[in-house]
Amino acid sequence: MKLKMNVEARCGDARATEVTLPRGGFKTPIFMPVGTMATVKAMTTDEVASLGAEILLCNAYHLYLRPGHELVESAGGLHRFMNWPGLILTDSGGFQIFSLRQLMSIDDHGVSFRSHVDGSAHQLDPEKAMAVQAALGADIAMAFDHCPPSDAPRAKVIEAMERTTRWAERCVIAPRPQHQVRFGIVQGGLDLELRRRHLAEIGGLAFDGMALGGLSVGETPEQMHEVLEAIAPTMPVDRPRYLMGVGRPEDLIIAIGHGIDMFDCVMPTRNARNGNLFTRTGRVVISNAKNRQALGPIDEDCDCHTCRHYSRAYLRHLFACKEILYSRLATLHNLHFVIKLVGSAREAIIEGRYSEFARAFLAAREQH
Amino acid sequence: MKLKMNVEARCGDARATEVTLPRGGFKTPIFMPVGTMATVKAMTTDEVASLGAEILLCNAYHLYLRPGHELVESAGGLHRFMNWPGLILTDSGGFQIFSLRQLMSIDDHGVSFRSHVDGSAHQLDPEKAMAVQAALGADIAMAFDHCPPSDAPRAKVIEAMERTTRWAERCVIAPRPQHQVRFGIVQGGLDLELRRRHLAEIGGLAFDGMALGGLSVGETPEQMHEVLEAIAPTMPVDRPRYLMGVGRPEDLIIAIGHGIDMFDCVMPTRNARNGNLFTRTGRVVISNAKNRQALGPIDEDCDCHTCRHYSRAYLRHLFACKEILYSRLATLHNLHFVIKLVGSAREAIIEGRYSEFARAFLAAREQH
């Protein structure tokens, strides 16, 4: 295997691991900031690295459309193109094609879809999805999957699941760069029996890691937690476990408790730009009138650059004036919060006190 | 005088000086980045400082409306509010009230205008304009002036000029913070006789520095250069000379040649956001198709962070996707260009080769 995983500590189902890849490594649990268009929105890569991020998620679908994977390849790959010294995981594009509702047709060969940018017609199939991710030079490439909506009838969930397995078999044998590892994606909606069946199918293929897809797509947090509780601890112990698209602080803490290692989500960065800032005791809505004269920081206990140097009143002013600096300072704060939270969870696992840590974190939020 | 100026070198009419104020100093010629809303758009103050900027221009009119000068004062003044360790010059608001066409009425007492933000009615007069700038805690406050449009008939120019003098007499005696100095503004349009007359009037008042207003307001570059050539060298030699609102690279070099010391302009930052990037040989329009696969930097000879780490192709991609990082990297480059250009002009003056320097710079741009 090109991927090596060392489980350093266990605490209940939660675990702390070290993952080593050909071009670098990371420690889990880990949150991967999202750089959809080859940029973590509003951030430089220097800033993202200074927050302690070790691996970014970029998006093969979006980069295939703009600027094109061939261009990125000719620029020396995505790392060099976007000036990122760490690792990159690319999503395959399956989720975007279904969620952006650009789908024209789907069959076992692949999908036809329209670009959400200019309406042009495109085809994507497992081989092409892997070729795009190879051209981008991703350290971790995701299998090309069929992700049904959260309210899909059972027959549709089964159809998507079975197709995802057939596609996964093709993804696993597609050519890949020397340095690249691949993760499979488990579908099956909210049905635990389907999830178990699909986990067995995908787990039987030669993937280096396993992801849970089709969650955080419209179901309630409780529904998602039920799937996590039943499925996450049964995922292969010797491979990283990645919960796709999850980033709500409460969900991170619960999922880590069930043994998830990796996360990505646009929520910290998108919420920041929309005026919602994370704190230990819940969110701050920066536009609230009570922040107009608030000369203290977003969070008195936070040691991020934003909280050390800027008041809520200043941030509210920048937000009201639609100033770019607002998005920068807010994004920096929210990413710092999530990365630090996941780092604290890791420490708690290593120190054997994860359940107390999780209970205290969740209780502090319920009180507010 | 609270302001001390030491003329280090002269080269023709051009000069290199050191200006000392109660809370800090700067060397001229100098370009002041514009932070209209208490932020240099897209930049942190750390970045602006790292580019070598020593003094920013902020805008009393805009900050009076949002977030309000009282709030800024209660936050400890503008420097602390926006986390800027250097000096701040504030424009008085006269220019904005006239140029944003919010004017309702004007008489010798002052002006009534509507907020461009919410339409609310406001009054401003010399005393209030100075009180706002005092509350903001500006190191340099500008007199409250009447700035006519570039195509105003002679009678209107004279009226505005005479009113500006009467207002200046009130500005000079208004209360001010211990650390604050004040600059007067010379009007007179494109009429050299009026400019000379007004320079004598304003120069006779106890201002610490002198500004040329009412230029770069719609006239041709040649018309502006004619006023600069005739007027700038005759401005008081013992006080800083500030050309308001000018930032086109060619104009900076020509104005420095006529003895101007200080500049401000939104052009470097605004052009950056609009896709126009400065280089020694002219501008780069980042959206041009030829930049799609351009893997080199904006300017091979530039040592800014953007040019050291990012290709034109990457910047073009970010611009096409309307990514915030584009505005950041582009602004960083353009500000670096202008600040470095003015710094090179200073060196050339000190080394006694300004006319060769200016000739070479202007010739390189004409060839492209």
Side-chain angles (χ1 to χ4, degrees):
Chain A
M1 301 278 277
K2 292 178 177 179
L3 180 147
K4 293 192 177 61
M5 195 181 75
N6 170 38
V7 179
E8 292 174 78
R10 282 193 179 78
C11 185
D13 286 326
R15 54 195 217 162
T17 85
E18 280 184 319
V19 176
T20 309
L21 299 178
R23 297 204 292 197
F26 54 90
K27 298 183 176 191
T28 77
I30 192 167
F31 178 81
M32 301 182 284
V34 176
T36 306
M37 300 304 305
T39 164
V40 176
K41 289 193 189 298
M43 295 286 96
T44 61
T45 46
D46 289 350
E47 287 166 340
V48 175
S50 77
L51 293 171
E54 295 173 306
I55 174 166
L56 303 183
L57 176 138
C58 295
N59 199 288
Y61 163 81
H62 286 284
L63 296 171
Y64 159 79
L65 292 176
R66 288 189 299 186
H69 54 292
E70 300 96 339
L71 174 67
V72 175
E73 186 171 31
S74 74
L78 193 48
H79 301 68
R80 184 179 291 185
F81 186 58
M82 67 187 290
N83 186 39
W84 170 244
L87 297 168
I88 295 175
L89 177 149
T90 47
D91 197 359
S92 63
F95 177 75
Q96 282 67 38
I97 291 164
F98 296 106
S99 68
L100 293 173
R101 306 197 178 281
Q102 303 300 316
L103 189 65
M104 291 159 61
S105 70
I106 181 166
D107 59 27
D108 270 7
H109 177 68
V111 299
S112 295
F113 64 98
R114 290 206 179 279
S115 160
H116 73 286
V117 180
D118 62 8
S120 56
H122 298 265
Q123 286 80 40
L124 212 51
D125 56 44
E127 289 75 18
K128 185 155 179 194
M130 300 324 280
V132 169
Q133 295 181 85
L136 294 173
D139 298 286
I140 302 176
M142 300 303 298
F144 189 62
D145 64 329
H146 182 173
C147 180
S150 67
D151 57 355
R154 193 164 192 272
K156 286 285 177 194
V157 173
I158 293 174
E159 183 190 327
M161 198 181 88
E162 292 178 345
R163 180 172 288 128
T164 295
T165 300
R166 289 192 294 277
W167 284 358
E169 289 162 353
R170 289 157 61 187
C171 287
V172 138
I173 58 171
R176 61 171 162 179
Q178 277 297 321
H179 70 274
Q180 190 175 78
V181 304
R182 286 176 181 175
F183 283 17
I185 302 177
V186 176
Q187 294 290 347
L190 301 173
D191 185 311
L192 300 183
E193 186 260 322
L194 294 183
R195 282 277 174 187
R196 287 196 188 97
R197 194 176 118 197
H198 204 227
L199 173 58
E201 289 177 10
I202 300 296
L205 298 172
F207 284 114
D208 307 277
M210 302 282 290
L212 293 179
L215 291 173
S216 197
V217 293
E219 78 283 7
T220 67
E222 293 69 28
Q223 288 175 308
M224 179 173 74
H225 299 164
E226 197 186 332
V227 174
L228 288 173
E229 183 173 10
I231 303 301
T234 72
M235 294 171 79
V237 295
D238 60 343
R239 288 183 263 181
R241 300 159 172 176
Y242 164 29
L243 176 56
M244 303 182 79
V246 168
R248 205 169 63 103
E250 294 87 336
D251 294 335
L252 295 173
I253 295 307
I254 288 168
I256 289 170
H258 295 310
I260 295 291
D261 306 309
M262 299 169 65
F263 302 90
D264 83 275
C265 194
V266 297
M267 180 191 269
T269 44
R270 182 180 290 165
N271 275 16
R273 298 194 305 283
N274 292 340
N276 292 295
L277 304 170
F278 293 158
T279 78
R280 200 92 187 156
T281 53
R283 75 180 180 166
V284 167
V285 179
I286 199 64
S287 59
N288 276 352
K290 68 178 177 187
N291 290 322
R292 204 185 104 70
Q293 305 203 42
L295 299 179
I298 301 167
D299 184 343
E300 291 287 353
D301 298 328
C302 178
D303 61 351
C304 83
H305 178 82
T306 303
C307 286
R308 280 186 289 114
H309 296 294
Y310 300 95
S311 63
R312 289 186 188 199
Y314 182 66
L315 294 169
R316 183 178 186 276
H317 163 66
L318 294 181
F319 182 75
C321 297
K322 299 183 169 51
E323 285 287 348
I324 287 174
L325 183 57
Y326 166 76
S327 292
R328 293 185 53 176
L329 297 175
T331 301
L332 201 67
H333 171 81
N334 272 8
L335 277 181
H336 175 270
F337 178 88
V338 171
I339 290 171
K340 194 172 172 183
L341 174 64
V342 173
S344 302
R346 180 178 155 81
E347 281 174 36
I349 294 166
I350 290 171
E351 295 169 8
R353 50 174 179 83
Y354 189 73
S355 58
E356 296 86 324
F357 169 86
R359 205 158 40 230
F361 179 81
L362 296 172
R365 296 178 84 79
E366 274 170 17
Q367 284 169 9
H368 290 266
Chain B
M1 300 279 276
K2 293 178 177 181
L3 179 147
K4 292 192 178 61
M5 194 181 75
N6 170 36
V7 179
E8 294 174 77
R10 282 194 179 77
C11 185
D13 286 325
R15 55 195 216 161
T17 85
E18 279 183 320
V19 175
T20 309
L21 299 177
R23 299 203 294 195
F26 54 89
K27 297 183 176 192
T28 77
I30 192 167
F31 179 81
M32 301 182 283
V34 176
T36 305
M37 299 305 304
T39 163
V40 176
K41 288 190 190 303
M43 295 286 96
T44 61
T45 45
D46 288 351
E47 287 166 339
V48 175
S50 77
L51 292 171
E54 296 173 304
I55 174 167
L56 302 184
L57 176 138
C58 295
N59 200 288
Y61 163 82
H62 287 283
L63 296 171
Y64 160 79
L65 292 176
R66 290 189 299 185
H69 55 292
E70 299 96 340
L71 174 67
V72 175
E73 187 172 31
S74 74
L78 194 48
H79 300 70
R80 184 179 292 185
F81 186 59
M82 67 187 289
N83 186 38
W84 170 244
L87 298 167
I88 295 176
L89 177 149
T90 47
D91 198 359
S92 62
F95 177 75
Q96 282 68 37
I97 291 165
F98 297 106
S99 68
L100 294 172
R101 305 198 179 282
Q102 304 300 317
L103 189 64
M104 291 158 62
S105 71
I106 181 166
D107 59 28
D108 269 7
H109 178 69
V111 299
S112 295
F113 63 97
R114 290 205 177 279
S115 160
H116 73 286
V117 179
D118 62 7
S120 55
H122 297 265
Q123 286 79 43
L124 212 51
D125 56 43
E127 289 76 18
K128 184 153 181 198
M130 300 323 281
V132 168
Q133 296 181 84
L136 294 173
D139 297 286
I140 302 177
M142 299 303 297
F144 189 62
D145 64 328
H146 182 173
C147 179
S150 67
D151 58 355
R154 194 163 192 271
K156 286 284 177 195
V157 173
I158 293 173
E159 184 191 327
M161 197 181 90
E162 292 178 346
R163 178 172 290 127
T164 295
T165 299
R166 288 191 295 275
W167 284 357
E169 289 162 354
R170 289 157 62 188
C171 288
V172 138
I173 58 170
R176 61 171 162 179
Q178 278 297 322
H179 71 272
Q180 190 175 77
V181 305
R182 289 177 177 172
F183 282 18
I185 302 177
V186 176
Q187 294 290 346
L190 301 173
D191 185 310
L192 299 183
E193 187 260 323
L194 294 184
R195 283 277 172 188
R196 285 195 189 97
R197 195 177 116 196
H198 203 228
L199 173 58
E201 289 177 12
I202 300 295
L205 298 173
F207 285 113
D208 306 278
M210 301 284 290
L212 293 178
L215 291 173
S216 198
V217 293
E219 79 283 9
T220 65
E222 292 69 27
Q223 287 175 310
M224 179 173 74
H225 299 164
E226 196 186 332
V227 174
L228 289 173
E229 183 172 11
I231 303 300
T234 72
M235 293 171 79
V237 294
D238 59 345
R239 288 183 263 180
R241 300 159 170 174
Y242 164 28
L243 177 56
M244 303 183 79
V246 167
R248 206 170 62 104
E250 295 88 333
D251 293 336
L252 295 173
I253 295 306
I254 288 167
I256 290 169
H258 294 311
I260 296 291
D261 306 310
M262 300 169 63
F263 303 90
D264 82 276
C265 193
V266 296
M267 181 190 267
T269 45
R270 181 179 290 164
N271 275 15
R273 296 195 307 283
N274 292 340
N276 292 295
L277 305 170
F278 292 159
T279 78
R280 200 93 189 155
T281 53
R283 76 181 180 167
V284 167
V285 179
I286 199 64
S287 59
N288 275 352
K290 67 178 177 187
N291 291 322
R292 204 185 104 70
Q293 307 203 40
L295 300 178
I298 301 166
D299 184 343
E300 290 288 352
D301 298 329
C302 179
D303 60 352
C304 82
H305 178 82
T306 303
C307 286
R308 279 186 288 116
H309 296 294
Y310 301 94
S311 64
R312 290 187 186 198
Y314 182 65
L315 294 168
R316 184 180 186 275
H317 163 66
L318 294 180
F319 183 75
C321 298
K322 299 183 169 48
E323 286 288 348
I324 287 173
L325 183 58
Y326 166 75
S327 292
R328 292 185 54 175
L329 297 174
T331 301
L332 201 67
H333 171 81
N334 272 9
L335 277 181
H336 176 270
F337 178 87
V338 170
I339 290 171
K340 193 171 172 184
L341 174 63
V342 173
S344 302
R346 180 178 155 82
E347 281 174 36
I349 294 166
I350 291 171
E351 293 168 10
R353 52 176 178 81
Y354 189 75
S355 58
E356 296 86 323
F357 168 86
R359 204 158 44 232
F361 179 81
L362 297 171
R365 298 179 81 80
E366 274 170 16
Q367 283 168 11
H368 290 265

